[in-house]
mmCIF file of all heavy atoms in Angstrom:
data_model
loop_
_atom_site.group_PDB
_atom_site.id
_atom_site.type_symbol
_atom_site.label_atom_id
_atom_site.label_comp_id
_atom_site.label_asym_id
_atom_site.label_seq_id
_atom_site.Cartn_x
_atom_site.Cartn_y
_atom_site.Cartn_z
ATOM 1 N N THR A 1 -2.642 -17.108 -8.976
ATOM 2 C CA THR A 1 -1.875 -18.033 -9.830
ATOM 3 C C THR A 1 -2.081 -17.767 -11.313
ATOM 4 O O THR A 1 -1.307 -18.264 -12.141
ATOM 5 C CB THR A 1 -2.282 -19.491 -9.531
ATOM 6 O OG1 THR A 1 -3.710 -19.623 -9.694
ATOM 7 C CG2 THR A 1 -1.912 -19.871 -8.104
ATOM 8 N N ASP A 2 -3.090 -16.994 -11.679
ATOM 9 C CA ASP A 2 -3.342 -16.710 -13.094
ATOM 10 C C ASP A 2 -2.318 -15.691 -13.597
ATOM 11 O O ASP A 2 -2.218 -14.578 -13.052
ATOM 12 C CB ASP A 2 -4.753 -16.155 -13.282
ATOM 13 C CG ASP A 2 -5.051 -15.859 -14.737
ATOM 14 O OD1 ASP A 2 -5.111 -16.804 -15.524
ATOM 15 O OD2 ASP A 2 -5.206 -14.660 -15.081
ATOM 16 N N PRO A 3 -1.540 -16.025 -14.634
ATOM 17 C CA PRO A 3 -0.495 -15.109 -15.127
ATOM 18 C C PRO A 3 -1.035 -13.759 -15.570
ATOM 19 O O PRO A 3 -0.401 -12.720 -15.339
ATOM 20 C CB PRO A 3 0.130 -15.869 -16.303
ATOM 21 C CG PRO A 3 -0.187 -17.300 -16.049
ATOM 22 C CD PRO A 3 -1.520 -17.305 -15.366
ATOM 23 N N SER A 4 -2.210 -13.747 -16.188
ATOM 24 C CA SER A 4 -2.780 -12.489 -16.664
ATOM 25 C C SER A 4 -3.084 -11.557 -15.496
ATOM 26 O O SER A 4 -2.769 -10.360 -15.547
ATOM 27 C CB SER A 4 -4.061 -12.770 -17.456
ATOM 28 O OG SER A 4 -4.703 -11.569 -17.816
ATOM 29 N N ILE A 5 -3.662 -12.090 -14.438
ATOM 30 C CA ILE A 5 -3.981 -11.276 -13.257
ATOM 31 C C ILE A 5 -2.699 -10.807 -12.590
ATOM 32 O O ILE A 5 -2.593 -9.654 -12.150
ATOM 33 C CB ILE A 5 -4.854 -12.075 -12.279
ATOM 34 C CG1 ILE A 5 -6.252 -12.279 -12.889
ATOM 35 C CG2 ILE A 5 -4.949 -11.391 -10.916
ATOM 36 C CD1 ILE A 5 -7.162 -13.188 -12.091
ATOM 37 N N GLN A 6 -1.723 -11.683 -12.531
ATOM 38 C CA GLN A 6 -0.460 -11.325 -11.882
ATOM 39 C C GLN A 6 0.257 -10.206 -12.642
ATOM 40 O O GLN A 6 0.750 -9.246 -12.045
ATOM 41 C CB GLN A 6 0.434 -12.571 -11.796
ATOM 42 C CG GLN A 6 1.379 -12.562 -10.624
ATOM 43 C CD GLN A 6 2.001 -13.922 -10.386
ATOM 44 O OE1 GLN A 6 2.353 -14.627 -11.332
ATOM 45 N NE2 GLN A 6 2.157 -14.285 -9.133
ATOM 46 N N VAL A 7 0.314 -10.319 -13.963
ATOM 47 C CA VAL A 7 0.963 -9.297 -14.785
ATOM 48 C C VAL A 7 0.268 -7.948 -14.605
ATOM 49 O O VAL A 7 0.918 -6.914 -14.396
ATOM 50 C CB VAL A 7 0.966 -9.701 -16.277
ATOM 51 C CG1 VAL A 7 1.388 -8.530 -17.154
ATOM 52 C CG2 VAL A 7 1.903 -10.869 -16.506
ATOM 53 N N ASP A 8 -1.067 -7.952 -14.678
ATOM 54 C CA ASP A 8 -1.802 -6.695 -14.528
ATOM 55 C C ASP A 8 -1.586 -6.082 -13.153
ATOM 56 O O ASP A 8 -1.456 -4.853 -13.011
ATOM 57 C CB ASP A 8 -3.297 -6.939 -14.758
ATOM 58 C CG ASP A 8 -3.653 -6.990 -16.240
ATOM 59 O OD1 ASP A 8 -2.732 -6.890 -17.070
ATOM 60 O OD2 ASP A 8 -4.847 -7.131 -16.566
ATOM 61 N N THR A 9 -1.542 -6.925 -12.129
ATOM 62 C CA THR A 9 -1.328 -6.422 -10.766
ATOM 63 C C THR A 9 0.021 -5.722 -10.644
ATOM 64 O O THR A 9 0.137 -4.632 -10.059
ATOM 65 C CB THR A 9 -1.400 -7.575 -9.752
ATOM 66 O OG1 THR A 9 -2.680 -8.209 -9.843
ATOM 67 C CG2 THR A 9 -1.188 -7.081 -8.333
ATOM 68 N N VAL A 10 1.052 -6.327 -11.208
ATOM 69 C CA VAL A 10 2.387 -5.740 -11.102
ATOM 70 C C VAL A 10 2.474 -4.462 -11.925
ATOM 71 O O VAL A 10 3.130 -3.497 -11.531
ATOM 72 C CB VAL A 10 3.469 -6.763 -11.513
ATOM 73 C CG1 VAL A 10 4.860 -6.158 -11.385
ATOM 74 C CG2 VAL A 10 3.386 -8.007 -10.635
ATOM 75 N N TRP A 11 1.798 -4.425 -13.076
ATOM 76 C CA TRP A 11 1.772 -3.170 -13.842
ATOM 77 C C TRP A 11 1.103 -2.070 -13.027
ATOM 78 O O TRP A 11 1.533 -0.899 -13.057
ATOM 79 C CB TRP A 11 1.029 -3.353 -15.163
ATOM 80 C CG TRP A 11 1.871 -3.894 -16.274
ATOM 81 C CD1 TRP A 11 1.634 -5.020 -17.004
ATOM 82 C CD2 TRP A 11 3.091 -3.339 -16.789
ATOM 83 N NE1 TRP A 11 2.639 -5.203 -17.931
ATOM 84 C CE2 TRP A 11 3.542 -4.186 -17.831
ATOM 85 C CE3 TRP A 11 3.852 -2.221 -16.467
ATOM 86 C CZ2 TRP A 11 4.715 -3.946 -18.538
ATOM 87 C CZ3 TRP A 11 5.022 -1.977 -17.171
ATOM 88 C CH2 TRP A 11 5.428 -2.830 -18.200
ATOM 89 N N ALA A 12 0.040 -2.414 -12.305
ATOM 90 C CA ALA A 12 -0.623 -1.417 -11.468
ATOM 91 C C ALA A 12 0.367 -0.825 -10.464
ATOM 92 O O ALA A 12 0.406 0.398 -10.250
ATOM 93 C CB ALA A 12 -1.817 -2.038 -10.739
ATOM 94 N N LEU A 13 1.187 -1.677 -9.865
ATOM 95 C CA LEU A 13 2.190 -1.204 -8.911
ATOM 96 C C LEU A 13 3.240 -0.337 -9.599
ATOM 97 O O LEU A 13 3.722 0.649 -9.028
ATOM 98 C CB LEU A 13 2.859 -2.397 -8.228
ATOM 99 C CG LEU A 13 1.955 -3.194 -7.285
ATOM 100 C CD1 LEU A 13 2.630 -4.500 -6.876
ATOM 101 C CD2 LEU A 13 1.601 -2.370 -6.049
ATOM 102 N N SER A 14 3.572 -0.678 -10.827
ATOM 103 C CA SER A 14 4.564 0.135 -11.551
ATOM 104 C C SER A 14 4.016 1.517 -11.839
ATOM 105 O O SER A 14 4.751 2.508 -11.806
ATOM 106 C CB SER A 14 4.984 -0.568 -12.854
ATOM 107 O OG SER A 14 4.010 -0.406 -13.868
ATOM 108 N N TYR A 15 2.715 1.622 -12.120
ATOM 109 C CA TYR A 15 2.126 2.942 -12.363
ATOM 110 C C TYR A 15 2.087 3.763 -11.081
ATOM 111 O O TYR A 15 2.361 4.966 -11.094
ATOM 112 C CB TYR A 15 0.712 2.796 -12.937
ATOM 113 C CG TYR A 15 0.672 2.105 -14.279
ATOM 114 C CD1 TYR A 15 -0.284 1.142 -14.562
ATOM 115 C CD2 TYR A 15 1.612 2.403 -15.260
ATOM 116 C CE1 TYR A 15 -0.319 0.498 -15.787
ATOM 117 C CE2 TYR A 15 1.590 1.761 -16.488
ATOM 118 C CZ TYR A 15 0.620 0.807 -16.747
ATOM 119 O OH TYR A 15 0.604 0.168 -17.955
ATOM 120 N N LEU A 16 1.746 3.119 -9.979
ATOM 121 C CA LEU A 16 1.675 3.839 -8.705
ATOM 122 C C LEU A 16 3.047 4.348 -8.277
ATOM 123 O O LEU A 16 3.173 5.459 -7.760
ATOM 124 C CB LEU A 16 1.095 2.933 -7.614
ATOM 125 C CG LEU A 16 -0.377 2.552 -7.753
ATOM 126 C CD1 LEU A 16 -0.800 1.653 -6.600
ATOM 127 C CD2 LEU A 16 -1.271 3.787 -7.809
ATOM 128 N N THR A 17 4.075 3.546 -8.495
ATOM 129 C CA THR A 17 5.424 3.945 -8.075
ATOM 130 C C THR A 17 6.050 4.956 -9.023
ATOM 131 O O THR A 17 7.141 5.463 -8.754
ATOM 132 C CB THR A 17 6.353 2.723 -7.969
ATOM 133 O OG1 THR A 17 6.293 1.965 -9.192
ATOM 134 C CG2 THR A 17 5.951 1.837 -6.802
ATOM 135 N N ASP A 18 5.364 5.256 -10.116
ATOM 136 C CA ASP A 18 5.855 6.277 -11.044
ATOM 137 C C ASP A 18 5.237 7.636 -10.733
ATOM 138 O O ASP A 18 5.290 8.537 -11.549
ATOM 139 C CB ASP A 18 5.530 5.865 -12.487
ATOM 140 C CG ASP A 18 6.352 6.627 -13.514
ATOM 141 O OD1 ASP A 18 7.428 7.144 -13.154
ATOM 142 O OD2 ASP A 18 5.922 6.719 -14.670
ATOM 143 N N GLY A 19 4.655 7.762 -9.540
ATOM 144 C CA GLY A 19 3.954 8.995 -9.196
ATOM 145 C C GLY A 19 4.662 9.860 -8.181
ATOM 146 O O GLY A 19 4.050 10.763 -7.614
ATOM 147 N N GLY A 20 5.947 9.590 -7.888
ATOM 148 C CA GLY A 20 6.694 10.422 -6.951
ATOM 149 C C GLY A 20 6.932 9.731 -5.623
ATOM 150 O O GLY A 20 6.410 8.646 -5.350
ATOM 151 N N GLU A 21 7.743 10.369 -4.781
ATOM 152 C CA GLU A 21 8.196 9.748 -3.540
ATOM 153 C C GLU A 21 7.054 9.463 -2.570
ATOM 154 O O GLU A 21 7.085 8.472 -1.828
ATOM 155 C CB GLU A 21 9.250 10.638 -2.879
ATOM 156 C CG GLU A 21 10.568 10.670 -3.656
ATOM 157 C CD GLU A 21 11.580 11.643 -3.062
ATOM 158 O OE1 GLU A 21 11.299 12.185 -1.962
ATOM 159 O OE2 GLU A 21 12.631 11.849 -3.685
ATOM 160 N N LYS A 22 6.029 10.310 -2.537
ATOM 161 C CA LYS A 22 4.903 10.068 -1.623
ATOM 162 C C LYS A 22 4.165 8.794 -1.990
ATOM 163 O O LYS A 22 3.800 7.989 -1.123
ATOM 164 C CB LYS A 22 3.953 11.268 -1.633
ATOM 165 C CG LYS A 22 4.530 12.511 -0.971
ATOM 166 C CD LYS A 22 3.521 13.642 -0.950
ATOM 167 C CE LYS A 22 4.109 14.881 -0.268
ATOM 168 N NZ LYS A 22 3.133 16.015 -0.261
ATOM 169 N N ASN A 23 3.938 8.602 -3.283
ATOM 170 C CA ASN A 23 3.260 7.383 -3.722
ATOM 171 C C ASN A 23 4.146 6.158 -3.531
ATOM 172 O O ASN A 23 3.660 5.077 -3.196
ATOM 173 C CB ASN A 23 2.830 7.507 -5.189
ATOM 174 C CG ASN A 23 1.633 8.424 -5.360
ATOM 175 O OD1 ASN A 23 1.109 8.956 -4.385
ATOM 176 N ND2 ASN A 23 1.214 8.617 -6.588
ATOM 177 N N ILE A 24 5.446 6.331 -3.770
ATOM 178 C CA ILE A 24 6.378 5.230 -3.522
ATOM 179 C C ILE A 24 6.291 4.796 -2.061
ATOM 180 O O ILE A 24 6.259 3.601 -1.754
ATOM 181 C CB ILE A 24 7.824 5.655 -3.874
ATOM 182 C CG1 ILE A 24 7.986 5.778 -5.395
ATOM 183 C CG2 ILE A 24 8.842 4.658 -3.316
ATOM 184 C CD1 ILE A 24 9.330 6.354 -5.825
ATOM 185 N N GLN A 25 6.209 5.767 -1.164
ATOM 186 C CA GLN A 25 6.147 5.429 0.260
ATOM 187 C C GLN A 25 4.853 4.703 0.608
ATOM 188 O O GLN A 25 4.849 3.794 1.453
ATOM 189 C CB GLN A 25 6.289 6.697 1.104
ATOM 190 C CG GLN A 25 6.556 6.419 2.576
ATOM 191 C CD GLN A 25 7.838 5.613 2.777
ATOM 192 O OE1 GLN A 25 8.876 5.917 2.193
ATOM 193 N NE2 GLN A 25 7.762 4.576 3.608
ATOM 194 N N LEU A 26 3.747 5.081 -0.029
ATOM 195 C CA LEU A 26 2.488 4.375 0.200
ATOM 196 C C LEU A 26 2.616 2.909 -0.196
ATOM 197 O O LEU A 26 2.125 2.016 0.502
ATOM 198 C CB LEU A 26 1.362 5.033 -0.598
ATOM 199 C CG LEU A 26 0.852 6.385 -0.085
ATOM 200 C CD1 LEU A 26 -0.122 6.991 -1.093
ATOM 201 C CD2 LEU A 26 0.160 6.215 1.263
ATOM 202 N N VAL A 27 3.277 2.662 -1.323
ATOM 203 C CA VAL A 27 3.487 1.282 -1.776
ATOM 204 C C VAL A 27 4.394 0.535 -0.803
ATOM 205 O O VAL A 27 4.118 -0.613 -0.430
ATOM 206 C CB VAL A 27 4.089 1.266 -3.202
ATOM 207 C CG1 VAL A 27 4.492 -0.144 -3.604
ATOM 208 C CG2 VAL A 27 3.079 1.831 -4.205
ATOM 209 N N ILE A 28 5.455 1.178 -0.354
ATOM 210 C CA ILE A 28 6.371 0.547 0.608
ATOM 211 C C ILE A 28 5.636 0.223 1.910
ATOM 212 O O ILE A 28 5.772 -0.870 2.466
ATOM 213 C CB ILE A 28 7.578 1.462 0.879
ATOM 214 C CG1 ILE A 28 8.486 1.494 -0.349
ATOM 215 C CG2 ILE A 28 8.360 1.001 2.107
ATOM 216 C CD1 ILE A 28 9.627 2.493 -0.256
ATOM 217 N N ASP A 29 4.826 1.157 2.388
ATOM 218 C CA ASP A 29 4.110 0.967 3.651
ATOM 219 C C ASP A 29 3.085 -0.166 3.581
ATOM 220 O O ASP A 29 2.661 -0.689 4.621
ATOM 221 C CB ASP A 29 3.413 2.265 4.074
ATOM 222 C CG ASP A 29 4.411 3.347 4.474
ATOM 223 O OD1 ASP A 29 5.584 3.008 4.742
ATOM 224 O OD2 ASP A 29 4.019 4.541 4.481
ATOM 225 N N SER A 30 2.689 -0.533 2.376
ATOM 226 C CA SER A 30 1.727 -1.636 2.229
ATOM 227 C C SER A 30 2.382 -3.008 2.357
ATOM 228 O O SER A 30 1.695 -4.034 2.302
ATOM 229 C CB SER A 30 1.029 -1.538 0.867
ATOM 230 O OG SER A 30 1.905 -1.947 -0.176
ATOM 231 N N ASP A 31 3.719 -3.032 2.504
ATOM 232 C CA ASP A 31 4.480 -4.287 2.659
ATOM 233 C C ASP A 31 4.405 -5.187 1.419
ATOM 234 O O ASP A 31 4.537 -6.405 1.523
ATOM 235 C CB ASP A 31 4.006 -5.077 3.893
ATOM 236 C CG ASP A 31 4.308 -4.343 5.185
ATOM 237 O OD1 ASP A 31 5.335 -3.646 5.251
ATOM 238 O OD2 ASP A 31 3.504 -4.455 6.131
ATOM 239 N N ILE A 32 4.227 -4.579 0.260
ATOM 240 C CA ILE A 32 4.121 -5.379 -0.961
ATOM 241 C C ILE A 32 5.467 -5.550 -1.659
ATOM 242 O O ILE A 32 5.607 -6.409 -2.542
ATOM 243 C CB ILE A 32 3.085 -4.752 -1.922
ATOM 244 C CG1 ILE A 32 2.504 -5.818 -2.862
ATOM 245 C CG2 ILE A 32 3.687 -3.590 -2.713
ATOM 246 C CD1 ILE A 32 1.311 -5.338 -3.653
ATOM 247 N N VAL A 33 6.480 -4.749 -1.271
ATOM 248 C CA VAL A 33 7.772 -4.804 -1.965
ATOM 249 C C VAL A 33 8.412 -6.186 -1.816
ATOM 250 O O VAL A 33 9.007 -6.712 -2.761
ATOM 251 C CB VAL A 33 8.724 -3.705 -1.451
ATOM 252 C CG1 VAL A 33 10.088 -3.809 -2.138
ATOM 253 C CG2 VAL A 33 8.126 -2.326 -1.707
ATOM 254 N N ALA A 34 8.271 -6.782 -0.649
ATOM 255 C CA ALA A 34 8.849 -8.113 -0.420
ATOM 256 C C ALA A 34 8.217 -9.168 -1.322
ATOM 257 O O ALA A 34 8.835 -10.201 -1.607
ATOM 258 C CB ALA A 34 8.688 -8.517 1.044
ATOM 259 N N LYS A 35 7.003 -8.934 -1.775
ATOM 260 C CA LYS A 35 6.338 -9.857 -2.709
ATOM 261 C C LYS A 35 6.694 -9.515 -4.155
ATOM 262 O O LYS A 35 6.660 -10.377 -5.029
ATOM 263 C CB LYS A 35 4.821 -9.777 -2.513
ATOM 264 C CG LYS A 35 4.364 -10.070 -1.101
ATOM 265 C CD LYS A 35 2.902 -9.700 -0.904
ATOM 266 C CE LYS A 35 2.502 -9.823 0.563
ATOM 267 N NZ LYS A 35 1.118 -9.363 0.801
ATOM 268 N N LEU A 36 7.035 -8.258 -4.370
ATOM 269 C CA LEU A 36 7.328 -7.783 -5.717
ATOM 270 C C LEU A 36 8.723 -8.200 -6.182
ATOM 271 O O LEU A 36 8.904 -8.636 -7.328
ATOM 272 C CB LEU A 36 7.207 -6.262 -5.730
ATOM 273 C CG LEU A 36 7.274 -5.510 -7.046
ATOM 274 C CD1 LEU A 36 6.160 -5.968 -7.972
ATOM 275 C CD2 LEU A 36 7.161 -4.004 -6.781
ATOM 276 N N VAL A 37 9.715 -8.097 -5.302
ATOM 277 C CA VAL A 37 11.109 -8.354 -5.682
ATOM 278 C C VAL A 37 11.326 -9.779 -6.200
ATOM 279 O O VAL A 37 12.012 -9.964 -7.217
ATOM 280 C CB VAL A 37 12.057 -8.029 -4.504
ATOM 281 C CG1 VAL A 37 13.454 -8.572 -4.777
ATOM 282 C CG2 VAL A 37 12.105 -6.522 -4.282
ATOM 283 N N PRO A 38 10.765 -10.834 -5.569
ATOM 284 C CA PRO A 38 10.975 -12.184 -6.115
ATOM 285 C C PRO A 38 10.478 -12.367 -7.544
ATOM 286 O O PRO A 38 10.941 -13.255 -8.261
ATOM 287 C CB PRO A 38 10.181 -13.075 -5.145
ATOM 288 C CG PRO A 38 10.158 -12.306 -3.864
ATOM 289 C CD PRO A 38 10.063 -10.875 -4.273
ATOM 290 N N MET A 39 9.564 -11.500 -7.981
ATOM 291 C CA MET A 39 9.042 -11.610 -9.339
ATOM 292 C C MET A 39 10.061 -11.193 -10.391
ATOM 293 O O MET A 39 9.845 -11.396 -11.584
ATOM 294 C CB MET A 39 7.767 -10.781 -9.475
ATOM 295 C CG MET A 39 6.631 -11.354 -8.673
ATOM 296 S SD MET A 39 5.095 -10.471 -8.922
ATOM 297 C CE MET A 39 3.950 -11.604 -8.141
ATOM 298 N N LEU A 40 11.175 -10.610 -9.953
ATOM 299 C CA LEU A 40 12.263 -10.320 -10.889
ATOM 300 C C LEU A 40 12.837 -11.598 -11.481
ATOM 301 O O LEU A 40 13.461 -11.578 -12.545
ATOM 302 C CB LEU A 40 13.372 -9.539 -10.182
ATOM 303 C CG LEU A 40 13.021 -8.133 -9.675
ATOM 304 C CD1 LEU A 40 14.164 -7.570 -8.852
ATOM 305 C CD2 LEU A 40 12.682 -7.202 -10.838
#
């Protein structure tokens, strides 16, 4: 619930997904995308 922790967490995901298709797939396989999209 802490905004600072939440912002940093999402930035971490943005860095990981900027590493190519293999890393993108690792993020997808973790089932975190469904939690990420509502944050838009």
Side-chain angles (χ1 to χ4, degrees):
T1 55
D2 180 66
S4 174
I5 291 173
Q6 209 167 40
V7 169
D8 279 3
T9 301
V10 181
W11 275 123
L13 292 169
S14 78
Y15 297 137
L16 292 180
T17 52
D18 197 22
E21 290 175 7
K22 290 183 179 179
N23 286 359
I24 289 173
Q25 193 59 46
L26 287 172
V27 172
I28 289 173
D29 291 343
S30 75
D31 294 327
I32 205 169
V33 178
K35 303 168 188 175
L36 188 60
V37 168
M39 292 185 168
L40 295 173

